[in-house]
Amino acid sequence: MSDEILVQQFWDRNEEAITESKRQYGSYCLYIAENILHNREDSEECLNDALLAAWESIPPQRPTNLKIYLGKLIRETAISRWRKNRASKRIAPESVVSLDELEEMVGKNRVEETVEEEELSRAISAFLRTVKESERNIFVRRYWYYDPIESICARYGFTKGKVSMTLKRTRDKLAEYLKKKGYLL
Amino acid sequence: MKSDKIRRAIGGIDDELIEAADSGKNKKESRAWIRWAAPAAVFVFALAAVFGTDLFKKGPSVTPGSSEIATGEFIVAEKFIYSVDAGRFAAYVGGKVIAETQLGNKLEDVTVTGGWFSVQGTHLTRLSEEHVKAEIFEIKGISADVAVAVKFLKKMDAATTDHFYVILNPQADLTPVQAYVIPDETQGEGPVPE
């Protein structure tokens, strides 16, 4: 079923939309949640939460890419769950590694407080379009999908060294870019 | 955490970037491509022999035009290609790494231009460019008209300062240095072993 038809089902308040979305994009969403939570049960709860969030936001939203729309919803849901788990000390060590890498990228700088998150997202998107496709995809796999390094290596056939080096280089370039744009001070 | 805002902003990047990273365009099983060892710069012998030093002088997009590449259709994601800027060794093409014990006297100082190219079929598109100084050394028992070794004095994206790289004259009989010729991977024979 095309996204257009599926989204229309949301608009028509046809609950088949949830069943069909789960069928089509459930694995994709669970993959994202499990990368963050490393727990199947929590991930499935997040999937249900994300589908509910989709039901409540469509309409008025009319996403053209439902897969990514759901992906973004579950990503945020899973991160919120991760924070809760962290507060109660139930956290898998892999989850913090990529966050440490981003923290290292910011370093001694601080993020400009008045910049809107959406503006920062646009800037990061613009930056990613300036780098090589392989660098871009590795960056997104690591910091959007939260893929472990080994998973990225397996996906692209790169060595661990190359992936780590590529990520470091891209983070450094992003930091420079954000500094030039005034988003990192 | 200071990076929280950045992390959240990454969450909101454009859908097409997220989709592209999931589409598997760079997956190793989707096409014949060459995997670059991190410390080594790898040449496509056939490509460099055809395009030589004009590669960096033709502007952002290098189109081979009517140049014939007998390897047929091949698809490679990206390649790092370098060449000596000028002089006697400008037309030489890259080969494998060689041990320092095999080298003789230093011959000259040169500058080298290297960069990433997107390669599809016979079409090259330059993605980046960098310039470094380098030294040329003779290889013991091998005429400099056939091959020499280059040592970069500054690291490039896919080449280190720790190694000596053979560069070969494509016009010469390369029998004496066959061991240093990088096979033509464009036939899809598989990744270059590290």
Side-chain angles (χ1 to χ4, degrees), chain B:
Chain B
M1 252 180 148
K2 285 186 290 181
S3 61
D4 266 1
K5 199 162 188 176
I6 304 266
R7 182 201 54 72
R8 286 196 305 273
I10 289 173
I13 59 173
D14 290 349
D15 287 3
E16 69 192 67
L17 298 174
I18 302 165
E19 179 74 76
D22 197 49
S23 70
K25 279 163 82 172
N26 281 356
K27 277 186 178 172
K28 62 175 177 175
E29 65 270 16
S30 68
R31 55 180 65 181
W33 68 287
I34 293 183
R35 191 180 71 202
W36 301 88
V42 182
F43 250 103
V44 173
F45 184 88
L47 272 179
V50 171
F51 303 121
T53 58
D54 285 343
L55 219 42
F56 292 96
K57 300 174 179 74
K58 283 185 180 174
S61 185
V62 177
T63 305
S66 59
S67 301
E68 288 179 11
I69 297 194
T71 54
E73 272 302 300
F74 62 94
I75 298 172
V76 181
E78 289 169 0
K79 294 181 147 342
F80 190 85
I81 301 174
Y82 64 80
S83 63
V84 174
D85 285 343
R88 182 182 173 190
F89 306 111
Y92 283 33
V93 299
K96 295 183 182 177
V97 168
I98 186 170
E100 191 174 359
T101 51
Q102 306 279 38
L103 304 184
N105 298 325
K106 176 177 155 181
L107 296 175
E108 62 183 82
D109 295 311
V110 295
T111 55
V112 170
T113 299
W116 287 97
F117 284 76
S118 168
V119 182
Q120 182 142 12
T122 56
H123 187 86
L124 289 172
T125 304
R126 188 177 67 195
L127 301 174
S128 67
E129 188 174 313
E130 47 188 321
H131 308 273
V132 299
K133 291 186 179 165
E135 295 172 327
I136 301 290
F137 293 85
E138 62 180 5
I139 301 172
K140 289 177 188 169
I142 303 294
S143 165
D145 291 329
V146 173
V148 290
V150 62
K151 184 174 196 291
F152 303 109
L153 298 181
K154 192 181 161 196
K155 187 186 174 313
M156 287 200 287
D157 202 36
T160 73
T161 55
D162 300 325
H163 295 86
F164 294 84
Y165 301 88
V166 173
I167 56 173
L168 311 109
N169 183 352
Q171 307 301 321
D173 175 5
L174 298 178
T175 309
V177 286
Q178 199 58 41
Y180 298 103
V181 172
I182 294 172
D184 179 5
E185 295 292 340
T186 57
Q187 296 286 1
E189 288 164 9
V192 174
E194 290 192 33

Side-chain angles (χ1 to χ4, degrees), chain A:
Chain A
M1 190 181 289
S2 74
D3 280 0
E4 199 179 332
I5 295 174
L6 206 33
V7 167
Q8 189 56 48
Q9 285 191 340
F10 277 95
W11 273 73
D12 294 342
R13 308 319 280 161
N14 181 345
E15 289 179 9
E16 271 296 306
I18 297 182
T19 313
E20 187 57 27
S21 296
K22 191 171 184 175
R23 193 187 69 78
Q24 272 184 218
Y25 303 125
S27 317
Y28 172 77
C29 291
L30 282 172
Y31 177 88
I32 294 168
E34 286 191 25
N35 267 355
I36 296 166
L37 298 167
H38 303 279
N39 180 287
R40 183 72 179 193
E41 199 180 316
D42 284 355
S43 299
E44 283 180 353
E45 285 177 17
C46 285
L47 175 57
N48 291 333
D49 291 344
L51 289 168
L52 179 61
W55 181 255
E56 290 174 348
S57 59
I58 307 172
Q61 298 293 333
R62 190 180 278 275
T64 51
N65 188 327
L66 188 58
K67 172 185 159 190
I68 304 301
Y69 186 80
L70 292 171
K72 284 182 171 178
L73 284 175
I74 197 166
R75 188 178 177 277
E76 284 312 307
T77 308
I79 288 172
S80 298
R81 176 67 67 100
W82 178 84
R83 287 181 186 285
K84 241 189 265 177
N85 290 349
R86 182 175 60 172
S88 63
K89 307 292 184 217
R90 289 194 304 130
I91 185 167
E94 298 90 340
S95 308
V96 300
V97 173
S98 59
L99 292 176
D100 283 347
E101 290 166 14
L102 288 179
E103 189 69 12
E104 180 202 296
M105 181 191 83
V106 174
K108 292 195 172 79
N109 303 299
R110 61 181 177 82
V111 182
E112 163 57 60
E113 280 168 21
T114 61
V115 69
E116 296 291 333
E117 206 169 281
E118 226 174 273
E119 188 184 334
L120 199 48
S121 294
R122 281 197 297 273
I124 294 172
S125 296
F127 161 76
L128 286 172
R129 289 194 174 87
T130 68
V131 303
K132 292 192 300 237
E133 186 181 3
S134 57
E135 291 181 0
R136 180 164 62 241
N137 288 342
I138 288 172
F139 185 92
V140 173
R141 291 303 317 181
R142 182 72 173 149
Y143 301 119
W144 197 92
Y145 285 97
Y146 289 103
D147 276 354
I149 301 268
E150 293 76 13
S151 170
I152 298 172
C153 292
R155 175 177 277 264
Y156 297 115
F158 292 147
T159 63
K160 209 167 165 179
K162 177 166 168 79
V163 170
S164 298
M165 191 171 70
T166 301
L167 283 169
K168 173 83 172 64
R169 202 167 49 222
T170 310
R171 287 197 308 269
D172 289 346
K173 283 194 238 178
L174 175 58
E176 268 316 300
Y177 181 90
L178 293 178
K179 272 187 217 163
K180 273 197 190 124
K181 297 286 183 187
Y183 297 126
L184 265 190
L185 307 170

